[in-house]
Structures are given as C-alpha cells and as structure tokens.
C-alpha cells in the first residue's frame, strides 16, 4: 500500500524554497481535491468530527460543473446493493439526505419515492427472492425491501405494464435527488463547519515531505498548500491528480449515454424504476423522465486516450451524445412502460470514472494519501462513504468492514489490459447481480504453477483479488450436479486424502532486528516459538477484529516471520503493520511475498503416508507434532511443512515452497498419493470441513464489526503481554455482556431438497422464530454437512432467543426449520 518506489518530482529543498517564496501558503489538517459529491461529503463529515482545518479544492469555477460527473448524475439514491455489508453506507446516505436541506437551506429535491427493480424472468425473480431473504431489517431502519407481485407493482407504479413482469424488488424510502444541489448543500454544510473552499484551484505539483510528514500541493496560481492528509476525490481527473505525485490509479473513464424524455402525457407520481436485464433506469423529473442505461459490452466506450494524454478541461462537455447506443434498452423500456412511447428525446452524454469491479477506491493509498474516487453510484454511496472515510482519517482505523473498496486492492497484479477489459464487462453488466463469476481479463498473472493442470483436471475457479482459486472438480462425471460433486470430494478427502492449492492465500513477511517487537505490538496473541505455527489476531484500537492470521517463523534470531492472511485483506494488513512499525520506529521490513511463496496442502487420514513416501524426515506424531513446522525435502523440492488441522479438522500438512517449483511438488505428491486414493479438492469442500468442526473465518464470522469475545475466540488475546494495539479496549470488552451470540445451526430439509444446493445457506440469510415476523439473527456462512446429511451454518442470534427455540430461515423458495447445535459434528484434531 505504501508506494515508496514511485518517484517524486522535485527535491525537498526545492519545495521548501517554494514555500518560503510563496505569497500564499495554507497549512491544513486535510486537503480534499475535488468538490463533487465524494469530495464535498468527506469535507462535510470531517467538520462533523470537529475537524475545522479542512480545505476543499475545486478545479472548476464552481461546484457541480458540467465538465465533471456530479452535474450529469441521474440522482438515483438506492438502498439496495448486492454486497450486504455495503448497505449501512447507503442507509447513512439516505438518512443524511433526508435532513440536509433543513440543515443547509439548500433545496436538494430529495424525493423518497422508493425504487422498484423489475423481474421479467424466473432468474431475476429468484435473484430478488434471495435478496429479500437476506435483507436484515429491524424496526426503525431507514429502508426495507420486499418482493412485490405484479398486482402490487400496478398499484405502486401504474405506468408499468404489469402483465409483462413476474414481480419486482421494492425498496422503501430511497428514491431520487438533485445531484447538483446535493453537492452544493454538502459544500455549504462543510463551510458552516469551518472548512475553506477554493474554486478554480488546479494543482500542478504534489509531493510528500518525509522530514515533516506532510504533503505539499502547488497550485497553478502560485498558492502552496501543506497538509497532513491529502484526499484525492478528483472524479474523472483523479488519475491526473495522482500522476502529479508519481502514482497511477486502477481506474478508467467510461462514456455514459442518457436522455431527458418528455412524454405525451405528464407522468404521475412513481418510484424510480430499474430493469436489471436491459440495464435501464428511469425516474420522474418534474414533468419529464430522466432515462439512462448501461450499454452492451460491444457498445461500451472507455476513453483510454484520456488515460494516456490526460482528461481535457472540458471533460463531460466534450462527449457527443449517441442515443442509438441505448436503442435496445429504450425499446425494452417503452415495452414495459408504454407511456414512454413517442416521447421527445433530448439525448445527452457524460463520462464517469470507475474501477474494474465497480466499487470505488476508498481509504489510504500512501502515507496519509487517501482515496475517494471511482464511483459508479456516487450519489447513493457518497454520503455514507464520506462519513466512513472521515472517521477512518480521524480515528486512524477503518470504522466498518468494507474491504471491497480497499484503495490498494489492485496493487502488485493489476495492469491496464485487465483494468479496461474488466471495467467494460462490469459496466455493461452493472445491474446483473446474479452472474458474479465474470471472465473478462482472466486469468491474470496471479495463477499458481499448477493452474493449467487443475483446469485440465476439471477445476472450476473463483476469482479472489486477482487469484484463480479452484472451487471444485467435476472429475469427468457426466452431468453431475454441484452438491454431489462437493460431497464426493469431501468423502474422498476425509476417508483417504486430497491435495488443495492454497497459493492464493495472502502472505506477509516481517523481518529485521525489531521483527519480534513489531509482532508483539501489532498482534494481540502469543507469538509462536521457533518451529511452531499458531493462530493470531490483529485488533483495532477499539478492540475490533482487524484480521485473524496464522503465524510461523524459522529464524533462531526471531527476526523473520510469515503471516498468512486473506488475499482481499493483504494490502490493509500491510498498511496496518507498516504504520505500527513507523509509530514505534522499529527497525523492520514488512512486505507481501504472496507472488513467490506458494503453498499446497495435503489433507486426510492417509496424508502422513503420502508424506512419508516423499521424505526421510520423521513425520510421526512424536517427530512432527500438531501445530509445528519443519524444513524438509519432499522429493525434488525443499519446503517449509506446517502441520496444522485448525482449518480442516483433519490430519493436514501445508507445504510452503517457491512458486516456481509448484508443478514439481504437485507431481511428486500426486504420484506418491496415487496408491492411497489421492484426489484434488477445492475451496468449497474445504468450507464443508471447517464448518463441521466449528472453525470461524475472516469475512464471514470474523470482521471489523465483531470482537474476539462475542465471537468466542477471546482465548487468542494474550493479556500477559503488557502492550499491544487494542489492549485497553479488549480488557473492557472482556467484561462486557453482548446481546447476540455466534452459534452453529442445522436445518431440517424437506424431501427432495437434501441434494439441491439451492437450499444450502451461503450467508446473510435472515433468521426468525417460527410464527413470528421479527428478525432475530442472520447467517454468516453455510455448507452441506455430509455426516448429518443436512445443511449447517454459523449464525448470529439474539441472546433473547432460547437455545431450544424453533427457528425458520427462507432459502430460495423454501422455508427451512433450524435448531442450534450445541457442539460441532466432529471435534478438530488436537
């Protein structure tokens, strides 16, 4: 995350001379570059945290200029999102917008009409049904989603031809807003809180002063700004701003076509309407409609010429409208909403900045260099993201689990080819929530040495932070359904043995004279001794779980450690560790080594026999006990072998090795394991194993929004240590009673549902008490349990709910009964 290798433009002495000679120098705590919705929201929320020393720079002569993006925004304010952890961000936006006019006196025209998303086929209806089943709503929440019948749609939106739809997803209390007025209101609010705003402020040079620990921004008019925190919220100009300090952003600028439609008949009150299949949106705007859509893949235009040459000053104003690119979407809209037919079309166009996955870049990108850019839904999320980032800047830690927006998530592996190909696909499929396993730009360089072999052997892959992750193997079985495939994999591994490629796991190396000191300070757990591997926790200063990890080392001077983390989290963990090292002035180097340190895991009761066939080393229980590591040679490859059953519950050995030797190691293991029935297995079968012995993982049960004591892993916090990050907060949390518990639950399935993966929970499904509507819990993760022959899941459940209470969960189109499981179905190997 710290881009120390990127060059600066001028020397520190040049900069200091410029500051002394400048007729106008401003010194602030935070400088925000860009006053669109994203930038003005950060400034506004910083002032709400009583930070008045804020400077907001706008390159145009006023906010919401037609050359930018906010001016052209359709003003949709949506509370629905495929990633449920993103919903609190959207909810805060809506709560803010509902009171902002009264606070600032600016008419932002917020209309909480609600939003309906049309289901015109069974796939979309199933998608929306799944969404509602996972919508955790309690009394007092700002928005609620329900699944409407066609007749209910007719009552709510009479202009829609209900005979052509199967239903709709309805969200209450979101709606539409004037994006231009919203930007102006946020700026007024920031000014009222003490922020300064400079229009026509174009930066020409940006650099970091290491000695003083601040950024220096030179403007074209000669003004110099020194700031502790620099926030790049430059929208379509964000990458041009980044280049001034030697950075480059994983963003593209994409053209967007839209139009003002004047119908023959003045439209009546109606919710905002979205069709996921033809990817159009339409909303009432006075006596007109505002209509737009996301063009198909072949019609999507990305301005890579602007990336190379810079975005022109005219920005969006230079784009030619071409409504023909929306022909298919408009024809479909007229079919579903007949009142649009014959409308006068005032075609318009703009450009937006976006990232390959459609999530913005938010958070630290360098030393106190913060990002808030790349939004496709800047109005919907801008209010919430502004608060999220302001809280992070002030408190020094992320306030909630939102790893999807990590500003450095493409660092070390993304390239322009991937950015453009993936962005084009994401843009064209913006409303397609069902299809998440997208192929554009894949594979990247983040493939293991056996990717081709696994693919040939029938692997299906998921995509995690650039890595191709084997999920399951069909083994050439004709027409085999997904769940029977997983059951077969599970049974082969747990009865014999299997090998899984774990090269995609994040790996961080901490080395140097003060490596052990940093580990003791940053990790709340006991640090393992030489030749041991153990679980550890990094906590925030408020005692939240920043990240669980496995830790081992092989250096007798205790000056080199390996931390195993998750690929989505490795940049955040790197930033956290480096910041802790800088805080304490430790002599240490912290770096990500995932690209060259690979791993395969050998799992199952026959795994020791396979290992024995490859090495002369003692791998018996006495010679190689649980939770220990050994440097051994397996056939032609030297490995660090870690014996740990923590995540599998089975006899397991993880083999860390040089990535260049993965194929040799894999071939040797498969050859030695052939007589023992060795098979490939993937992440899905691993998930089945870890759930049956009650192992909790990050991103599901363990997140920033939880703490070790409510999660039942408080034993990992070592209070014998006198100092570690989060210690005081952890002591307080240890004494606290919580209003929820993390429990394992199982399901009674109906006949015919047992081997259908549609009725296996995957996470976020809502839990109720049988016969009652109130939500009392939510599933974090689930899988099919082969031993019980029924689904199993981890879930948060309100403590007011008795352990013998009969619970219900809607999964797919079925309502399943659930009961708590007192102990895991199998205990882990000790």
């Amino acid at each position: 995350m710290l881009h120390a290798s990127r060059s600066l433009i001028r020397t520190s002495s040049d900069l200091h001379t410029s500051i002394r000679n400048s007729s106008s120098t401003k010194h602030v705590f935070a400088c925000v570059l860009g006053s669109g919705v994203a930038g003005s929201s950060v400034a506004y929320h910083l002032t709400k945290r009583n930070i008045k020393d804020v400077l907001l720079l706008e390159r145009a002569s006023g906010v919401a200029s037609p050359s930018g993006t906010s001016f052209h925004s359709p003003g949709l304010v949506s509370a629905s999102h495929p990633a449920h952890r993103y919903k609190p961000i959207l909810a805060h936006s809506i709560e803010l917008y509902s009171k902002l006019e009264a606070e600032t006196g600016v008419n932002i025209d917020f209309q909480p009409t609600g939003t309906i998303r049309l289901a015109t086929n069974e796939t979309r209806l199933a998608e929306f049904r799944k969404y509602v089943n996972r919508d955790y709503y309690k009394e007092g929440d700002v928005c609620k989603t329900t699944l409407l019948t066609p007749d209910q749609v007719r009552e709510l939106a009479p202009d829609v031809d209900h005979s052509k739809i199967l239903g709709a997803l309805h969200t209450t209390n979101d709606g539409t807003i004037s994006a231009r007025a919203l930007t102006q209101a946020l700026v007024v609010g920031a000014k009222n809180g003490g922020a300064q705003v400079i229009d026509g402020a174009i930066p020409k040079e940006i650099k970091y002063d290491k000695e003083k620990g601040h950024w220096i921004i030179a403007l074209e008019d000669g003004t110099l700004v020194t700031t502790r925190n620099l926030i790049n919220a430059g929208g379509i100009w964000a990458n041009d701003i980044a280049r001034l300090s030697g950075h480059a952003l994983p963003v593209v600028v994409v053209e967007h076509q839209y139009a003002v439609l004047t119908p023959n008949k003045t439209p009546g009150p109606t919710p905002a309407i979205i069709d996921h299949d033809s990817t159009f949106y339409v909303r009432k705007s006075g006596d007109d409609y505002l209509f737009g859509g996301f063009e198909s893949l072949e019609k999507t235009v990305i301005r890579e010429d602007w990336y190379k040459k810079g975005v022109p000053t005219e920005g969006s104003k230079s784009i030619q409208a071409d409504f023909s690119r929306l022909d298919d979407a408009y024809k479909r809209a007229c079919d579903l909403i007949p009142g649009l037919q014959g409308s006068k079309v005032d075609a318009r166009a703009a450009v937006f900045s976006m990232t390959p996955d459609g999530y913005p870049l938010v958070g630290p990108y360098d030393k106190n260099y913060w990002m808030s850019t790349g939004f496709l839904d800047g109005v919907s999320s801008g209010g919430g993201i502004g608060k999220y980032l302001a809280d992070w800047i002030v408190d020094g830690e992320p306030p909630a689990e939102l790893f999807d927006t990590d500003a450095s998530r493409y660092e070390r592996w993304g390239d322009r080819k991937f950015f453009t190909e993936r962005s084009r696909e994401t843009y064209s499929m913006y409303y397609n929530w069902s299809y998440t396993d997208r192929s554009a730009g894949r594979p990247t360089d983040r493939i293991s040495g056996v990717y081709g072999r696994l693919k040939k052997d029938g692997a299906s892959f998921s995509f995690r932070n650039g890595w191709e992750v084997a999920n399951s193997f069909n083994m050439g079985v004709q027409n085999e359904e997904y769940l029977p495939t997983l059951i077969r994999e599970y049974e082969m591994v747990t009865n014999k043995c299997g090998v899984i490629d774990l090269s995609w796991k994040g790996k961080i190396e901490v080395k140097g004279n003060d490596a052990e000191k940093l580990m003791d300070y940053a990790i709340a757990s006991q640090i393992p001794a030489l030749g041991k591997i153990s679980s550890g926790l990094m906590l925030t200063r408020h005692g939240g779980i920043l990240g669980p990890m496995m830790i081992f080392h092989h250096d007798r001077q205790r000056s080199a450690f390996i931390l195993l983390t998750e690929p989505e989290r490795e940049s955040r963990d790197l930033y956290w560790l480096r910041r802790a090292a800088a805080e304490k002035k430790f002599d240490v180097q912290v770096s990500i080594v995932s690209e060259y340190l690979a791993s395969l895991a050998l799992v199952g009761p026959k795994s020791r026999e396979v290992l024995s066939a490859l090495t002369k080393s003692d791998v018996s229980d006495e010679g190689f006990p649980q939770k220990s590591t050994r440097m051994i040679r397996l056939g032609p490859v030297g490995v660090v072998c870690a014996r740990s059953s923590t995540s599998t519950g089975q006899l397991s050995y993880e083999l860390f090795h040089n990535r260049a030797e993965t194929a040799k190691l894999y071939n040797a293991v498969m050859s030695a394991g052939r007589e023992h029935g060795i098979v490939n297995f993937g992440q899905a079968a691993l998930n089945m194993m870890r759930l049956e012995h009650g192992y909790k993982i990050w991103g599901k049960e363990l997140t920033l929004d939880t703490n070790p004591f409510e999660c039942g892993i408080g034993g990992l916090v070592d209070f014998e240590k006198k100092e570690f990050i989060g210690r005081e907060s952890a002591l307080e949390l240890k004494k606290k009673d919580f209003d929820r518990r993390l429990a394992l639950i199982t399901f009674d399935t109906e006949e015919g549902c047992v081997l259908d993966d549609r009725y296996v929970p995957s996470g976020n499904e809502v839990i109720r008490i049988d016969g009652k509507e109130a939500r009392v819990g939510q599933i974090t993760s689930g899988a099919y349990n082969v031993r019980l022959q029924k689904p199993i899941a981890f879930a948060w459940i309100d403590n007011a709910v008795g352990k013998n209470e009969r619970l219900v969960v809607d999964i797919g189109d079925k309502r399943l009964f659930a009961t708590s499981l007192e102990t895991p179905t199998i205990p882990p190997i000790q």
Side-chain angles (χ1 to χ4, degrees):
M1 182 170 291
L2 301 182
H3 311 283
S5 64
R6 291 168 178 164
S7 62
L8 298 178
I9 301 173
R10 290 160 57 193
T11 66
S12 294
S13 60
D14 290 337
L15 292 170
H16 294 152
T17 299
S18 297
I19 291 173
R20 287 195 299 269
N21 295 337
S22 173
S23 58
S24 175
T25 301
K26 297 181 180 296
H27 306 275
V28 293
F29 173 80
C31 180
V32 185
L33 281 74
S35 67
V37 172
S40 57
S41 179
V42 176
Y44 171 87
H45 284 95
L46 282 170
T47 65
K48 291 299 181 183
R49 291 297 307 270
N50 205 31
I51 304 295
K52 302 182 182 299
D53 200 10
V54 177
L55 179 62
L56 182 61
L57 301 181
E58 169 54 42
R59 64 180 292 119
S61 57
V63 298
S65 163
S67 60
T69 294
S70 296
F71 179 91
H72 300 274
S73 169
L76 297 175
V77 182
S78 176
S80 297
H81 196 280
H84 283 249
R85 59 187 158 270
Y86 210 71
K87 289 177 63 180
I89 296 292
L90 305 177
H92 176 78
S93 292
I94 293 166
E95 289 180 306
L96 172 65
Y97 302 163
S98 66
K99 63 185 181 183
L100 193 60
E101 183 172 328
E103 177 188 335
T104 64
V106 178
N107 178 12
I108 60 176
D109 193 28
F110 178 49
Q111 303 290 331
T113 58
T115 303
I116 59 172
R117 298 169 183 267
L118 306 178
T120 58
N121 55 59
E122 290 292 346
T123 299
R124 203 63 58 214
L125 188 65
E127 174 186 278
F128 293 160
R129 184 181 294 113
K130 182 177 182 180
Y131 188 95
V132 171
N133 291 345
R134 303 165 93 194
D135 184 32
Y136 195 90
Y137 172 83
K138 284 190 172 182
E139 197 65 36
D141 287 356
V142 64
C143 296
K144 180 181 181 180
T145 56
T146 53
L147 193 62
L148 302 181
T149 66
D151 286 340
Q152 289 172 319
V153 172
R154 178 172 57 182
E155 293 177 11
L156 195 63
D159 291 342
V160 174
D161 185 349
H162 73 286
S163 69
K164 295 180 179 178
I165 64 172
L166 302 179
L169 182 71
H170 177 224
T171 312
T172 62
N173 294 330
D174 60 7
T176 63
I177 200 170
S178 167
R180 303 172 206 175
L182 170 62
T183 306
Q184 292 164 356
L186 288 168
V187 170
V188 169
K191 286 181 175 179
N192 291 344
Q196 304 175 65
V197 180
I198 301 178
D199 293 334
I202 300 177
K204 69 174 184 177
E205 194 173 343
I206 300 173
K207 50 199 43 36
Y208 185 69
D209 187 333
K210 289 183 180 179
E211 294 179 5
K212 297 192 175 181
H214 62 214
W215 289 91
I216 304 172
I217 306 164
L219 303 181
E220 286 190 350
D221 67 358
T223 300
L224 285 177
V225 178
T226 65
T227 180
R228 170 71 175 167
N229 295 282
L230 185 154
I231 299 102
N232 185 342
I236 59 175
W237 289 281
N239 194 62
D240 294 347
I241 292 170
R243 279 181 171 152
L244 296 176
S245 54
H247 298 83
L249 302 183
V251 295
V252 302
V253 174
V254 60
E255 292 186 6
H256 184 74
Q257 303 293 325
Y258 70 104
V260 175
L261 305 179
T262 304
N264 296 321
K265 180 183 176 182
T266 301
T270 185
I273 300 170
I274 295 172
D275 180 49
H276 280 216
D277 286 292
S278 57
T279 69
F280 75 75
Y281 59 82
V282 62
R283 55 157 288 196
K284 186 175 180 292
S285 178
D287 293 337
D288 299 321
Y289 286 111
L290 191 62
F291 174 88
F294 294 85
E295 298 98 302
S296 58
L297 192 69
E298 64 276 7
K299 293 182 180 180
T300 299
V301 176
I302 290 177
R303 299 305 303 263
E304 203 60 358
D305 56 327
W306 286 9
Y307 170 78
K308 296 173 183 176
K309 300 176 182 178
V311 177
T313 302
E314 298 81 8
S316 286
K317 291 196 296 183
S318 66
I319 302 300
Q320 295 295 315
D322 183 5
F323 197 67
S324 66
R325 281 153 54 180
L326 294 179
D327 275 351
D328 292 340
Y330 184 53
K331 288 175 183 177
R332 183 57 173 159
C334 289
D335 188 39
L336 293 171
I337 310 170
L340 295 179
Q341 296 175 10
S343 296
K344 177 184 175 182
V345 177
D346 178 9
R348 303 180 183 185
V351 286
F352 292 82
S353 173
M354 67 172 289
T355 66
D357 58 15
Y359 287 94
L361 303 177
V362 182
Y365 198 63
D366 205 330
K367 306 176 189 71
N368 294 323
Y369 188 118
W370 304 83
M371 299 300 309
S372 186
T373 195
F375 291 85
L376 270 178
D377 65 342
V379 171
S380 291
S381 60
I385 286 291
K387 182 179 188 305
Y388 171 84
L389 185 56
D391 287 344
W392 193 343
I393 292 170
V394 174
D395 296 331
E397 60 189 43
E401 190 62 83
L402 206 61
F403 60 86
D404 315 74
T405 65
D406 187 334
S408 292
R409 62 188 181 274
Y410 297 105
E411 189 69 14
R412 295 171 299 280
W413 62 272
D415 57 23
R416 291 308 300 179
K417 181 176 182 292
F418 175 82
F419 298 156
T420 54
E421 289 182 8
R422 192 52 168 259
S423 295
R424 181 174 285 108
E425 180 186 59
T426 297
Y427 179 85
S428 66
M429 301 177 71
Y430 183 66
Y431 286 132
N432 194 329
W433 293 353
S434 295
Y435 183 58
T436 56
D437 187 24
R438 299 177 179 178
S439 59
R442 295 172 57 184
T444 69
D445 290 339
R446 279 192 153 184
I447 55 174
S448 82
V450 290
Y451 168 74
R453 171 69 181 272
L454 299 183
K455 188 175 182 180
K456 183 180 178 181
D457 286 347
S460 64
F461 294 89
S462 57
F463 190 71
R464 295 187 61 178
N465 202 41
W467 288 101
E468 296 293 334
V469 179
N471 194 56
S472 63
F473 293 80
N474 66 26
M475 299 292 286
V477 179
Q478 289 285 338
N479 301 318
E480 185 175 47
E481 297 291 334
Y482 180 64
L483 192 52
T485 293
L486 299 188
I487 292 172
R488 176 177 44 76
E489 275 184 35
Y490 168 90
E491 290 177 334
M492 290 295 289
V493 175
T494 56
N495 288 309
K496 295 181 180 180
C497 63
V499 63
I500 182 171
D501 180 12
L502 296 177
S503 299
W504 50 270
K505 285 279 189 178
K507 305 169 193 76
I508 296 175
E509 183 179 51
V510 177
K511 65 179 181 179
N513 294 331
D514 294 332
E516 187 175 8
K517 292 180 181 178
L518 174 60
M519 296 294 290
D520 267 327
Y521 178 61
I523 308 295
S525 311
Q526 187 178 44
I527 307 304
L530 178 68
K532 295 292 183 181
I533 184 169
S534 65
S535 299
L537 284 177
M538 284 200 301
L539 302 181
T540 68
R541 285 176 169 77
H542 290 94
I545 297 176
L546 186 75
M549 52 186 55
M550 299 297 292
I551 305 166
F552 68 89
H553 80 104
H554 275 283
D555 178 13
R556 293 188 182 279
Q557 283 72 45
R558 291 175 73 77
S559 61
F561 294 82
I562 295 293
L563 287 68
L564 306 178
T565 180
E566 300 297 326
E568 298 87 354
R569 209 185 70 221
E570 62 182 3
S571 290
R572 186 176 77 186
D573 290 350
L574 180 72
Y575 173 79
W576 187 263
L577 288 164
R578 284 181 171 176
R579 199 183 75 161
E583 176 192 339
K584 291 292 189 177
K585 296 182 172 56
F586 289 143
D587 178 13
V588 67
Q589 298 83 48
V590 186
S591 56
I592 290 176
V593 295
S594 309
E595 312 306 322
Y596 65 84
L597 183 60
S599 69
L600 301 174
L602 187 59
V603 180
K606 298 288 186 179
S607 57
R608 180 183 284 118
E609 296 172 48
V610 176
L611 207 62
S612 297
L614 291 169
T615 184
K616 296 179 181 179
S617 300
D618 183 2
V619 295
S620 66
D621 271 333
E622 295 77 19
F624 197 170
Q626 175 75 325
K627 296 185 178 179
S628 61
T629 61
R630 297 288 186 271
M631 297 185 73
I632 62 177
R633 192 159 194 86
L634 294 181
V637 181
V639 305
V640 175
C641 183
R643 181 184 171 190
S644 175
S645 302
T646 304
S647 63
T648 65
Q650 307 287 325
L651 180 62
S652 304
Y653 301 91
E654 189 162 359
L655 316 174
F656 297 94
H657 60 280
N658 188 308
R659 184 179 174 188
E661 297 188 300
T662 301
K664 285 194 291 185
L665 178 60
Y666 175 85
N667 290 335
V669 169
M670 294 301 283
S671 178
R674 192 170 293 117
E675 65 179 281
H676 301 291
I678 195 170
V679 295
N680 290 306
F681 74 102
Q683 189 181 18
L686 180 64
N687 188 53
M688 297 168 76
M689 294 177 204
R690 69 98 184 171
L691 274 165
E692 73 176 355
H693 78 274
Y695 180 67
K696 300 151 189 169
I697 61 173
W698 174 81
K700 300 294 185 179
E701 291 74 46
L702 312 177
T703 72
L704 269 171
D705 307 314
T706 64
N707 67 74
F709 306 97
E710 66 174 348
C711 290
I713 58 171
L716 289 177
V717 180
D718 181 13
F719 287 111
E720 295 298 315
K721 294 164 62 171
K722 293 182 180 180
E723 183 185 24
F724 59 81
I725 296 174
R727 188 178 190 277
E728 296 306 314
S729 296
L731 279 169
E732 293 302 314
L733 288 167
K734 185 180 180 182
K735 305 171 188 175
K736 186 177 176 181
D737 292 325
F738 300 100
D739 58 6
R740 62 176 185 171
R741 64 182 183 273
L742 192 56
L744 276 172
I745 59 175
T746 58
F747 299 83
D748 297 323
T749 55
E750 297 176 7
E751 192 68 30
C753 294
V754 175
L755 293 181
D756 193 331
D757 65 283
R758 291 179 300 169
Y759 306 114
V760 176
S762 58
N764 293 311
E765 292 87 354
V766 170
I767 300 171
R768 299 177 176 85
I769 296 174
D770 187 21
K772 298 181 180 180
E773 178 60 24
R775 277 77 162 159
V776 297
Q778 193 162 27
I779 289 171
T780 58
S781 61
Y784 184 78
N785 188 292
V786 178
R787 296 170 188 268
L788 296 177
Q789 297 189 23
K790 60 177 67 175
I792 187 174
F794 265 122
W796 286 108
I797 299 176
D798 293 351
N799 273 335
V801 178
K803 292 185 177 181
N804 297 321
E805 198 82 60
R806 188 172 171 84
L807 307 174
V808 294
V809 180
D810 293 328
I811 302 176
D813 58 355
K814 303 288 184 182
R815 172 159 287 191
L816 304 185
F817 294 101
T819 54
S820 294
L821 192 65
E822 292 299 321
T823 58
T825 51
I826 64 166
I829 293 175
Q830 299 299 321

